[in-house]
Amino acid sequence: MRKTIAAILFGTLFAGLGGATTFSAANGTERPWRASGTGVFTFMEDGFVIDGTSINTYLGKATFHAESTSDGGLTATATAANGDQLVIVFAPSGEAFFSGGTGRFADATGTLINTSTEELLPDGTFISEFTQTGTI
């Protein structure tokens, strides 16, 4: 039951990620963003987390950790090999945007479009595969 609810929540969360408005970067420079990756869901009583790996523009191969929020959104942190982190917020409204981070991403802003596919594997593992495009 919890997996079904999370699947509906996750699918609904990303279904509305149509167009995106670009925010200006702190120094006025906007750059294209692309990412793809795979994550595994862990369900808890009060929500879920997703842990996985991704390939990202400006981060290279990275790990990520995402947590559901009490308002129905999701906050993800991608960590590059050098330890720099980039925070991405997926709002309940369907918008997705960069919200700072550490190192060279401390003042990061911008928006992205996330396309994902969720799948329940025969062994009971629930995974998500995604691609992202946007501007950072």
Side-chain angles (χ1 to χ4, degrees):
M1 176 70 173
R2 237 186 270 163
K3 290 180 182 180
T4 302
I5 292 170
I8 292 168
L9 170 68
F10 199 69
T12 302
L13 177 67
F14 292 119
L17 295 177
T21 305
T22 302
F23 292 58
S24 294
N27 64 1
T29 303
E30 297 174 350
R31 293 180 166 43
W33 168 264
R34 292 196 188 285
S36 62
T38 303
V40 176
F41 283 77
T42 301
F43 296 94
M44 302 171 298
E45 199 161 307
D46 60 344
F48 61 91
V49 299
I50 308 169
D51 290 294
T53 58
S54 58
I55 303 291
N56 309 275
T57 311
Y58 314 114
L59 283 128
K61 186 173 182 181
T63 59
F64 70 88
H65 176 80
E67 296 184 7
S68 59
T69 58
S70 61
D71 64 359
L74 188 74
T75 300
T77 302
T79 305
N82 71 353
D84 286 357
Q85 295 183 322
L86 178 62
V87 176
I88 304 170
V89 175
F90 299 91
S93 64
E95 297 176 279
F97 56 92
F98 299 104
S99 183
T102 64
R104 66 184 184 266
F105 302 108
D107 297 318
T109 61
T111 59
L112 62 106
I113 298 169
N114 190 87
T115 304
S116 65
T117 302
E118 288 68 41
E119 182 179 0
L120 180 60
L121 301 179
D123 68 359
T125 304
F126 195 63
I127 64 168
S128 176
E129 294 182 359
F130 68 89
T131 59
Q132 298 172 341
T133 58
T135 305
I136 187 168

